[in-house]
């Protein structure tokens, strides 16, 4: 397969052992509605459909969609479209071998929407690590904070490049995600803005970074608004998602 397919985020999971591991991770009882994003030629879609009540499969590529539809299955609803633009239906489970180039917007869309019980997603290994890594670790950043305030995620297993065709340059990690929002939807824009600003200063001590961002006049003022001596001694990259959420309401005013 050519370079153009890789650019379109098309790496097909062809290794049967890993397909089985993903199906097992979905843990289907038979009565679920499953949303598959990026269903490709429908090979995995059909295996899911055999074990679920209903599958809604979204695929952007017309040619692949035509291949999938050529052997129809009664309980699969094929949707031709861009998963980033479509309104997603409420479902029990979400499954996707996520096209790498839409990983970040897609995962944010999924956890902000949150109308599913569980998702099983294959992601680029480094990206998966960023989502689920704890405060203070190398991979912890803005997207970890937003993700962890909206969902609980944990790693299930890795998939090597050779399980796909064409082979990507990177390893993949399959994670399980459950929506667990710790904030109301209307608090999100403020949190996202605050987190983006804060992580532009991720190695600084908290009071200093807040002053740099123009959110206080002096470090003394910052420490008094923070209101917790131990917290005021932390660097930005050491703050937990909960701490950042509470700080975002205290330092709301200054951000334009
Ligand atoms: N599910 C198949 C294919 C995975 S490759 C398998 O596991 O083998 C990812 C698929 O996502 C490709 O078929 C690609 O065309 C599709 N895709 C890429 N961007 C998309 C988007 N924005 N919305 C929906 N599907 C997309």
């Amino acid at each position: 397969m050519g370079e153009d397919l890789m650019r379109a985020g098309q790496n097909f999971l062809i290794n049967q052992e890993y397909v089985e591991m993903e199906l097992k991770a979905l843990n289907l009882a038979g009565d679920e509605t499953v949303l598959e994003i990026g269903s490709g030629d429908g090979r995995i879609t059909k295996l899911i459909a055999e074990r679920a009540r209903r599958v809604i499969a979204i695929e952007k590529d017309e040619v692949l969609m035509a291949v999938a539809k050529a052997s129809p299955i009664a309980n699969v609803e094929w949707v031709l479209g861009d998963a980033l633009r479509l309104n997603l239906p409420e479902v029990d489970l979400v499954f996707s071998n996520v096209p790498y180039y839409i990983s970040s917007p897609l995962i944010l869309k999924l956890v902000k929407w949150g109308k599913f019980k569980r998702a099983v997603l294959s992601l680029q290994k480094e990206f998966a690590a960023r989502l689920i890594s704890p405060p203070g670790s190398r991979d912890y950043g803005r997207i970890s904070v937003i993700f962890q305030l909206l969902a609980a995620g944990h790693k299930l297993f890795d998939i090597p490049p050779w399980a796909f065709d064409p082979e990507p340059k990177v390893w993949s990690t399959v994670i399980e995600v459950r929506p667990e929002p710790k904030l109301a939807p209307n608090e999100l824009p403020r949190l996202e803005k605050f987190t983006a600003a804060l992580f532009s200063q991720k190695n600084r001590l908290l009071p200093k970074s807040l002053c740099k961002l123009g959110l206080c006049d002096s470090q003394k003022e910052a420490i008094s608004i923070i209101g917790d001596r131990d917290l005021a001694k932390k660097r930005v990259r050491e703050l937990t998602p909960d701490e950042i959420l509470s700080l975002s309401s205290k330092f709301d005013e200054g951000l334009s």
Side-chain angles (χ1 to χ4, degrees):
M1 277 186 230
E3 276 293 315
D4 50 334
L5 287 187
M6 292 209 206
R7 269 199 300 278
Q10 295 176 338
N11 302 92
F12 302 93
L13 184 63
I14 51 154
N15 182 286
Q16 218 40 49
E17 208 174 307
Y18 284 100
V19 170
E20 280 303 323
M21 282 167 77
E22 289 194 337
L23 290 171
K24 200 168 164 213
L26 273 173
N27 197 18
L28 293 160
D31 58 349
E32 299 91 346
T33 298
V34 183
L35 171 66
E36 186 187 6
I37 296 174
S39 45
D41 61 8
R43 273 171 306 106
I44 300 179
T45 321
K46 287 167 189 171
L47 295 174
I48 297 172
E50 286 170 6
R51 312 175 193 200
R53 189 171 65 84
R54 183 166 166 245
V55 183
I56 301 158
I58 301 178
E59 170 56 51
K60 197 170 110 171
D61 186 312
E62 288 176 41
V63 177
L64 287 173
M65 183 53 98
V67 172
K69 276 182 162 176
S71 50
I73 295 196
N75 61 339
V76 180
E77 183 186 328
W78 304 101
V79 180
L80 179 66
D82 180 343
L84 294 178
R85 291 168 180 264
L86 289 170
N87 284 324
L88 303 177
E90 186 165 349
V91 292
D92 298 306
L93 293 168
V94 177
F95 171 76
S96 183
N97 283 326
V98 178
Y100 299 134
Y101 78 109
I102 61 164
S103 298
S104 186
L106 185 68
I107 195 88
L108 288 173
K109 176 170 178 164
L110 286 175
V111 293
K112 286 179 188 177
W113 162 64
K115 293 195 168 62
F116 56 95
K117 296 187 190 102
R118 212 158 52 83
V120 173
L121 307 171
S122 158
L123 299 162
Q124 180 173 345
K125 187 174 179 181
E126 290 75 15
F127 180 73
R130 280 166 57 204
L131 293 180
I132 59 184
S133 64
S137 67
R138 191 195 56 190
D139 295 321
Y140 187 68
R142 192 165 77 88
I143 198 158
S144 329
V145 174
I146 308 285
F147 176 81
Q148 290 170 28
L149 285 171
L150 293 168
H154 73 269
K155 175 172 169 166
L156 297 178
F157 54 89
D158 290 331
I159 308 183
W162 48 260
F164 295 91
D165 181 29
E167 280 192 26
K169 294 193 175 68
V170 293
W171 278 68
S172 299
T173 295
V174 176
I175 65 167
E176 178 183 68
V177 176
R178 290 172 196 270
E180 266 178 31
K182 296 185 171 171
L183 70 172
N186 65 2
E187 292 178 282
L188 250 178
R190 180 182 67 196
L191 175 84
E192 288 192 287
K193 212 190 282 180
F194 182 70
T195 309
L198 210 54
F199 274 85
S200 71
Q201 312 275 323
K202 74 184 267 189
N203 291 318
R204 278 190 212 278
L205 290 166
L206 178 60
K208 193 161 187 182
S209 79
L210 291 167
C211 291
K212 274 270 172 198
L213 295 168
L215 298 178
C216 50
D217 297 325
S218 67
Q219 291 193 45
K220 202 171 157 202
E221 186 198 347
I223 293 167
S224 105
I225 302 175
I226 293 166
D228 175 330
R229 291 207 157 267
D230 291 330
L231 190 54
K233 285 182 195 147
K234 283 193 175 184
R235 291 181 193 278
V236 168
R237 60 181 163 74
E238 296 165 336
L239 298 168
T240 66
D242 288 329
E243 286 166 346
I244 292 172
L245 179 60
S246 109
L247 286 166
S248 84
S249 60
K250 292 182 181 167
F251 290 90
D252 191 18
E253 301 301 307
L255 279 179
S256 51

